[in-house]
Amino acid sequence: MKDTFKQFGIAIAGSGSATPTATLDNDQLSQLVDTSDEWITTRTGIRMRHVATPEETLGQLAARAGRDAIAMANLSPEDIDLIVLATSTPDDLFGSAAKIQGEIGATRAVAFDLTAACSGFVFGMVTAAQFIRTGVYRNVLLIGADILSRWVDWDDRATCILFGDGAGAVVMRAREDRDRLLGFSLHSNGQKNHTLNLSQQAESRGLLTGLEVGRGQYRPITMNGREVYRFAVDKVPEVISKALYHAHLTTDAIDWLLLHQANQRIMDSVAERLEIPTEKVISNLAKYGNTSAASIPLALDEAVREGKIKAGDRIAVSGFGAGLTWGAAIFEWGI
Ligand code: ACO
């Protein structure tokens, strides 16, 4: 029988990013909680973060990042077939992707949200890749965006110092002659779910005698920092090694290591374990803090626009976070 199934390759053709204008530095934070610039800088590497005002929406940030990525890819919004929005903080629990599709004017696209916390961008990249590889869609806009400042407990010094808001995006395109997504690996472990949560805590409301329902509301972020730290330094090198194995590559073939921007000590430790020199580690955490699903595409876009990442450079990205979830992908930048 003639084999008519055709697999397409993938190119990462453009990037964009957006952050709110307002910033909050460590000294300002120390007016809110019992902390100091010295403690935050030495334990995390974070110096400031951008925070959204009540009027700013996730959709606005995501649309700005998305438009810039589409422009860099030399496409117009009508060329986009699929929009995947990786977020844990949508403007609307029913999903924010379709509204962003409307704002961008991507009239032909189908759009949906994907939730995998700080792993969302990597999980989104792999999800988008399945549609491209099978020939279903040719041009996909993948956005990672989060406004965690809305869900942080601003009285909890162990978590409020970590997070910031932002959005980043890439355009992934089908290619017939080569494949620039070289390998990936995704994982989750729900048995460790309790270590990092932004969970529903419904308030009971009596409707009728004998019938109660819950009024929806969420508790602020809770995290066992030490456990998440241990999980990250253990699992991230492992998942990158697995993705490299699938790519038939070893770490010396990597030009850039781009990890979810959670903690500089995590990045340093992972690089050391993989024997990747520090000059190959991309970090913009000091300026933005942990922007969750946005952190990888935000750092990618900055490095591309600064001319640091060049066409054909090989990048290992890895996201990790709530779920617990973790994943890695190896790709070459550019069309
Ligand atoms: N300022 C001053 N002191 C503080 C602060 C602060 N902001 N926060 C905690 N401390 C104190 C603690 O109370 C503790 O004091 P004690 O020894 O008297 O009890 C001490 O500092 C040490 O606390 P630890 O929690 O052990 O500090 P640690 O060195 O582990 O750093 C941190 C904490 C930065 C949160 C670290 O554990 C970490 O980065 N964990 C990983 C977080 C992460 O990567 N999350 C990614 C996923 S995010 C997502 O998916 C949404």
Side-chain angles (χ1 to χ4, degrees):
M1 197 176 92
K2 200 171 160 224
D3 185 10
T4 50
F5 181 72
K6 184 169 162 50
Q7 261 214 332
F8 289 84
I10 287 152
I12 320 290
S15 64
S17 60
T19 48
T21 314
T23 57
L24 180 65
D25 67 24
N26 292 347
D27 286 329
Q28 289 170 302
L29 259 178
S30 62
Q31 295 167 31
L32 286 175
V33 286
D34 182 13
T35 190
S36 64
D37 176 47
E38 205 258 330
W39 193 95
I40 301 171
T41 308
T42 50
R43 297 285 179 123
T44 71
I46 301 166
R47 293 183 183 277
M48 60 178 262
R49 61 292 286 147
H50 291 241
V51 286
T53 60
E55 295 74 33
E56 282 174 306
T57 66
L58 183 99
Q60 288 163 353
L61 289 176
R64 268 168 55 201
R67 273 193 210 99
D68 286 355
I70 293 169
M72 193 192 280
N74 287 318
L75 293 176
S76 56
E78 301 80 36
D79 296 320
I80 301 297
D81 303 304
L82 167 68
I83 298 174
V84 178
L85 171 69
T87 189
S88 303
T89 55
D91 295 322
D92 184 331
L93 271 185
F94 285 145
S96 287
K99 191 157 180 221
I100 293 161
Q101 174 213 353
E103 268 183 48
I104 290 178
T107 46
R108 287 182 46 252
V110 60
F112 61 82
D113 292 28
L114 178 154
T115 304
C118 303
S119 309
F121 182 78
V122 175
F123 279 43
M125 180 174 259
V126 175
T127 302
Q130 309 314 307
F131 288 102
I132 297 174
R133 284 213 197 293
T134 48
V136 177
Y137 298 126
R138 294 193 67 82
N139 299 318
V140 181
L141 175 64
L142 167 63
I143 308 172
D146 268 309
I147 300 188
L148 280 179
S149 64
R150 299 215 167 130
W151 301 101
V152 153
D153 178 352
W154 288 103
D155 295 323
D156 176 13
R157 68 177 182 172
T159 51
C160 76
I161 55 146
L162 298 172
F163 299 104
D165 304 333
V170 293
V171 170
M172 297 169 61
R173 301 196 63 186
R175 271 197 69 155
E176 293 181 24
D177 53 339
R178 73 179 296 161
D179 191 1
R180 291 192 179 276
L181 178 59
L182 307 171
F184 66 82
S185 183
L186 304 181
H187 298 271
S188 51
N189 178 4
Q191 284 174 339
K192 295 264 170 144
N193 179 265
H194 58 278
T195 50
L196 183 47
N197 300 97
L198 202 182
S199 58
Q200 167 90 239
Q201 195 183 43
E203 188 188 292
S204 162
R205 187 191 153 170
L207 277 189
L208 298 166
T209 311
L211 179 62
E212 277 182 22
V213 290
R215 188 200 304 266
Q217 58 183 15
Y218 286 84
R219 284 174 49 184
I221 294 168
T222 56
M223 179 173 74
N224 181 330
R226 277 182 210 187
E227 242 192 272
V228 176
Y229 188 95
R230 273 199 296 270
F231 145 74
V233 296
D234 179 33
K235 293 295 180 190
V236 173
E238 184 184 281
V239 78
I240 292 172
S241 300
K242 285 183 182 171
L244 281 167
Y245 173 79
H246 292 305
H248 308 291
L249 293 172
T250 50
T251 45
D252 45 311
I254 293 305
D255 297 301
W256 303 105
L257 178 68
L258 173 40
L259 304 184
H260 166 49
Q261 307 282 298
N263 186 319
Q264 191 60 45
R265 282 157 58 218
I266 294 176
M267 288 191 252
D268 294 344
S269 161
V270 171
E272 196 183 312
R273 285 182 61 181
L274 291 171
E275 296 181 3
I276 294 177
T278 44
E279 55 281 12
K280 288 189 176 182
V281 179
I282 290 177
S283 171
N284 68 357
L285 171 82
K287 290 187 289 178
Y288 301 105
N290 176 347
T291 56
S292 192
S295 87
I296 294 173
L298 181 59
L300 177 76
D301 184 51
E302 267 200 1
V304 166
R305 286 176 196 272
E306 281 168 8
K308 208 166 165 182
I309 294 180
K310 297 189 177 57
D313 280 2
R314 243 179 236 148
I315 309 164
V317 296
S318 178
F320 53 91
L324 295 176
T325 54
W326 64 105
I330 316 293
F331 62 87
E332 290 165 349
W333 171 252
I335 193 80

